[in-house]
Amino acid sequence: MVSTAALIQGASRGLGLQFCKTLLSRQPALSIIATCRTPGQAQELQDLKSEPLLAGRLHILGVDVKNEAQIQEAAEYAEKHFGQLDLLVNCAGILHPSGRGETSLKDLNLQGLQETCTTNAFGPLLMGKHFGKLLTKGGGSVGVKSTDAKQQHAGVLVNISAKVGSTTDNALGGWYSYRMSKCALNMATKNLSIELGRGKNKVICVSLHPGTVDTALSRPYHKNVKNLFSVEQSVSKLLTVIDSLTVEDSGKFFTYDKELLPF
Ligand SMILES: NC(=O)c1ccc[n+]([C@@H]2O[C@H](COP(=O)([O-])OP(=O)(O)OC[C@H]3O[C@@H](n4cnc5c(N)ncnc54)[C@H](OP(=O)(O)O)[C@@H]3O)[C@@H](O)[C@H]2O)c1
C-alpha cells in the first residue's frame, strides 16, 4: 500500500491530463489512477505512463462516466491497490454532444439534455457513491498535511464545475443543458459534503470553476475571452485552492482564486 493516491476522472486530455502531469511532477510519493473512456486512444496519457522516472506511479483505467459498472470496477481496483484515496477530481465534461451550447429553446433536444446531464452531473455523483468509502479512509491533502487537529480531514472530492452553473450569476440565459448539468453537479457536491462529512473522517467536497481554459470544450467561444488560461495555469491555481481547503469549505463552490461563488 502506498501512502498517497489520487484519482483523476476524465484524464485523456484538457484539464484532467494536466492534473495528472502536474501532480506527478510535484509529488514524488503520489500515485495516480487516471480514468478515461478510451485508454487506447489517450496517447498523451499513455506517453506519460511510459516515462521511466514515473516508475509505475500512473495507473490508467477505462471508465466512461456514463457507465456505472465501469465506475464500480475502478473503485474495486483502487481498493485493492491503495486501500484509500486522498483526492478524487471529477474532470470529464461536455458542453453538449453537438459541441455548441443551445442559444434558444428551439435548439433543445432530449438526447442532448440527457447526455450532458449524465456526463456532467450523474457520472460524478456515481463516482462519489463508489469512491466515498475510500475517501473517508484518505489521509487528506495531497499537498502539505496540516498538523492542526482542527484542520485535519479525510480525502478531498473535487467536482470541476463552471461559473455558468450558478443560478444567481445567470444573466444571459442560453446553454440550457450545460448550465443545468453544472447546477445539478453543484447540488451533488452539497449533498456529498453532507453525507461524507458525517462522523470522524470528514471528506471535503467542493465544486471548482477552472476559469475559461484553452481546451477543446470552450474553443468555439475563445474569441472574446480576455483572461484565457492555459491548462497549466488553471491546474496550478486549482491545486493551490485544493491545498488550502478545510472542513469549513466543504459543500461550497469556488473559483480558481478561491472566490466564493453563489449557487
Ligand atoms: N475549458 C473551459 O473553458 C472550462 C470552463 C469551465 C469549466 N470547464 C470544465 O472543466 C472540465 C474539463 O474540461 P476541459 O476543458 O478539460 O475539456 P476537454 O479538453 O474537452 O476534455 C473533456 C474531457 O472529458 C472527457 N469525457 C467526456 N465525456 C466523457 C465520458 N462520458 N466519460 C469519461 N470521460 C469523458 C473527455 O474524454 P475523451 O477524450 O474520451 O473525449 C476529455 O478527457 C469539464 O468538466 C468542463 O465542464 C471547462
Side-chain angles (χ1 to χ4, degrees), residues 213-230:
V213 191
D214 188 7
T215 68
L217 183 138
S218 56
R219 195 149 292 138
Y221 303 96
H222 287 173
K223 213 170 72 187
N224 298 321
V225 175
K226 288 194 195 88
N227 197 13
L228 183 68
F229 292 147
S230 65

Side-chain angles (χ1 to χ4, degrees), residues 94-97 100-104 108 112-113 115-117 120-122 160-188 207 209 217 221 253 262-263:
I94 58 169
L95 189 58
H96 187 268
R100 310 284 303 202
E102 308 96 335
T103 51
S104 70
L108 295 182
L113 283 158
E115 191 169 337
T116 309
C117 288
N120 296 358
F122 308 151
I160 300 296
S161 187
K163 195 176 176 184
V164 296
S166 165
T167 304
T168 310
D169 190 67
N170 183 3
L172 294 174
W175 290 20
Y176 283 88
S177 302
Y178 190 67
R179 284 187 188 275
M180 288 171 68
S181 70
K182 294 298 188 182
C183 186
L185 177 65
N186 292 340
M187 180 59 88
S207 282
H209 168 59
L217 183 138
Y221 303 96
F253 181 20
F263 284 123

Side-chain angles (χ1 to χ4, degrees), residues 9-16 35-38 63-66 90-95 119-120 160-163 178 182 185 208-218 222 228 231:
Q9 183 274 112
S12 60
R13 53 196 168 89
L15 286 163
T35 69
C36 59
R37 53 183 163 177
T38 44
V63 174
D64 184 323
V65 82
K66 293 182 288 183
N90 277 313
C91 236
I94 58 169
L95 189 58
T119 306
N120 296 358
I160 300 296
S161 187
K163 195 176 176 184
Y178 190 67
K182 294 298 188 182
L185 177 65
L208 297 183
H209 168 59
T212 306
V213 191
D214 188 7
T215 68
L217 183 138
S218 56
H222 287 173
L228 183 68
V231 283

